[in-house]
Amino acid sequence: MSLTSAELHDKLKFYFGFSAFKGQQEEIILHLINGNDAFVLMPTGGGKSLCYQLPALLMDGTAVIISPLIALMKNQVDAIRGFVEGHDGIAHFLNSSLNKAQMQEVRDHLLAGNTKLLYVAPESLTKEENINLLRQVKISFYAVDEAHCISEWGHDFRPEYRRIQPIVKEIGKAPIIALTATATPKVQYDIQRNLGMLKAKVFKTSFNRPNLYYELRSKVNVDKEILKFIKANEGKSGIIYCLSRKKVEDVAEFLNINGIKALPYHAGLDANTRAANQDKFLMEQADVIVATITFGMGIDKPDVRFVIHHDIPKSLEGYYQETGRSGRDGGEGQCITFYSHKDIEKLEKFMHGKPVSEQEIGKQLLSETVAYAESNICRRRTLLNYFGEEYTQDNCGSCDNCLHPKKQFDGTEDLLTVLELVAEMKEQFKSDHIANILTGIHNSIIKSYNHHELPLFGIGKDKGVRYWTAIIRQAIVQHFMEKDIERYGVISCTKKGLEFLKNPYTVMLTEDREFAEVDDDEDAAVVASQRGGGGGDPVLLAMLKDLRHSMSKRINLPSYVIFQDSTLEDMTILYPVSLDDLKKCQGVGEGKARKFGKEFVELIARYVEENDIQRPDDFVIKTAVNKSLNKVYIIQNIDKRVPLDEIADAKGLEMDDILNELESIVSSGTKINIDYYIKQTVDEDKVDDIYSYFREEATSDSLQDASLELGRGYTEEEIRLVRIKFMSELGN
Ligand code: ADP
Ligand code: MG
Ligand code: ZN
């Protein structure tokens, strides 16, 4: 079959209403129509579907389109039927969701030769009866969409995808077009080898998405930060990805309570709710969808303006795909990721129990993600480098690292050291091993290779493992060294690296970024108190601290008993001017507001007035009620004088959880009396000592300080119990 470019454009206009092809679509389509295999690598939103949809409509016979998601098939089939009016038989799907009658209908259309596109799930393709059916049909070509599912190195490996080639052979030969947005060289090779199309022409579009903005943030007060971000981007539509279903539910609820139209989406919801939520998002009845990664594959909403990762993804492929769902129309797309090393540890834990080879791959993919997150190099450059593409611009102008560049330093010497070491070792090793040698770490692997006897062992002790890891990473990005992904990331020098060793020149490098290590699951008050200096308005903060200080002298109470730092910081963000407003700040309950609040809100009111400050009065953060269910239960049982350990048992909590709850209860100003329990469990003299420590000596409520000051004889639990008593009696 042959078509001219003009004819092809006519067909494009006729079927899809577009007047021009995007990127390489035209070449790809012509290539396929002429009976050749094609391998298409295009970023998400690049327009891959059209590369098989249009030829399917034009060519003789039925195109078999293998696609992993059932929900997605229905969408695509509906879309095609929408394009080609009056031909219901033109597109069908074959998957496990069909009943007998529907199945028969598909069968009839297929055998009558009406069907141009048949979407098939890979597991349906492997069924004997379907193979037999398809053997009676003329196949125009096979399209393998989301082809990275073939590779274990892709982010979404599906074993059934591995069986495509033998089945295609059984049904009957026809050209194959494989399409994916995941294009590390390793995945690309896996796909081509597995589909037996190593010789296929590869169409690779640049993976750069110039309209996307990439940013990584410390995962501190994450829900609140997300809320702030959405409020600042009111009316725009966005996706928030979370790792667990529970988080999805929590975040969606939290946003709704705070006036954002957000819907949850995860595999645990029943199919109807899921479909309804997805539709509402597409139809713009909801601004935000909060989802696990099951959401979004093939979803075509062109104007998604932001993608937020509440939790770090497991791989850079996943990250790239998910962020890629923003700004498909070429407009704004902000990609914000919240990162904490704790999340990485969680992900590593999830891997335990999986087969060893899978764990190895998983760890390797994860370490790439860590490297990306912690690096100070341009995000775009790192991503493109990962996908085997060179990005030469110095400053992309649209990532956090380029907008806020870190100071560079002359890294020539250290780069030489690393290269020298790598070149010297006979075998190849991974990045962490090399960093460990330079830092002089004595571990079992190093000893087993006698690497502690290398002259360079410990030469960079003062700089630390993190530093050396960063140097190695930058050496890779700048192509002085390379990483063999297939061999689990072992590192070797490139030609450029070896030449640099002989004739060095100045190379500038940066250190890695530091991320605050706070878990978002912790109590908000605790989190904020660890945040340190995070307030909104430094001038006001200083004034509030002065007020607290003078008040503390006047009423003879430690400052922290009045309001904690985190509370003052909140005041500089929320600008409360009434006692009711004040209660919206962390750690302020009814009692505290009444007892200490008046002077604070008066000061703030004056400050707001004098400085003409716009108060964010609609920006009030509310938290879900059910979170406080435990609190209510605990308070009720304390009233009944139930021992705390029994309360813990009854609720399936640890003593630690109970103490956390109690601390948060008293620090927000509610009085509780746990004397009955203290009497039973803590020696009376000790109670006096601890109490007077907090009353007379302490300059903060820090547990560590208390423990140091009081010495060995006092357990953490004892100190905490008395501290709760103290805070409750004096502060509330
Ligand atoms: P991918 O599968 O590569 O992520 P899609 O096939 O879902 O991308 O296409 C992304 C968007 O681009 C869709 O909204 C689609 O309608 C649109 N699109 C595809 N080809 C063209 C074209 N030639 N002109 C205009 N829009 C197009
Ligand atoms: Mg697609
Ligand atoms: Zn950049």
Side-chain angles (χ1 to χ4, degrees), residues 12-40:
L12 176 70
K13 184 86 198 164
F14 176 74
Y15 284 117
F16 295 93
F18 301 140
S19 28
F21 286 103
K22 252 183 167 177
Q24 293 173 289
Q25 280 174 337
E26 181 177 356
E27 289 167 73
I28 297 165
I29 291 168
L30 285 173
H31 186 76
L32 185 64
I33 285 181
N34 289 325
N36 305 304
D37 292 346
F39 187 34
V40 176

Side-chain angles (χ1 to χ4, degrees), residues 146-165:
E146 314 287 355
H148 56 272
C149 294
I150 284 178
S151 172
E152 288 176 292
W153 292 91
H155 61 285
D156 194 16
F157 174 53
R158 286 162 195 252
E160 323 87 67
Y161 256 70
R162 295 260 190 195
R163 300 186 51 200
I164 293 175
Q165 203 206 1

Side-chain angles (χ1 to χ4, degrees), residues 649-679:
D649 283 348
K651 274 275 155 187
L653 297 170
E654 300 289 328
M655 191 60 186
D656 199 46
D657 300 324
I658 298 283
L659 292 173
N660 282 337
E661 292 283 9
L662 290 178
E663 280 160 2
S664 124
I665 292 168
V666 296
S667 80
S668 67
T670 304
K671 247 187 193 330
I672 43 174
N673 185 345
I674 53 168
D675 285 350
Y676 69 99
Y677 183 72
I678 292 180
K679 251 191 208 117

Side-chain angles (χ1 to χ4, degrees), residues 377-381 391 394-403:
I377 312 171
C378 169
R379 307 277 176 208
R380 190 160 264 103
R381 185 166 176 188
Y391 183 77
D394 266 348
N395 188 315
C396 83
S398 190
C399 79
D400 51 357
N401 287 341
C402 284
L403 292 184

Side-chain angles (χ1 to χ4, degrees), residues 467-506:
Y467 174 85
W468 289 109
T469 310
I471 302 293
I472 295 166
R473 182 177 313 139
Q474 289 172 75
I476 294 167
V477 170
Q478 299 195 27
H479 304 292
F480 291 103
M481 306 199 294
E482 66 192 355
K483 186 173 346 184
D484 187 344
I485 304 208
E486 198 153 353
R487 289 172 51 217
Y488 304 118
V490 300
I491 287 173
S492 56
C493 295
T494 59
K495 232 165 104 193
K496 176 176 173 184
L498 295 173
E499 272 160 22
F500 173 78
L501 264 178
K502 273 186 241 147
N503 299 304
Y505 43 89
T506 305

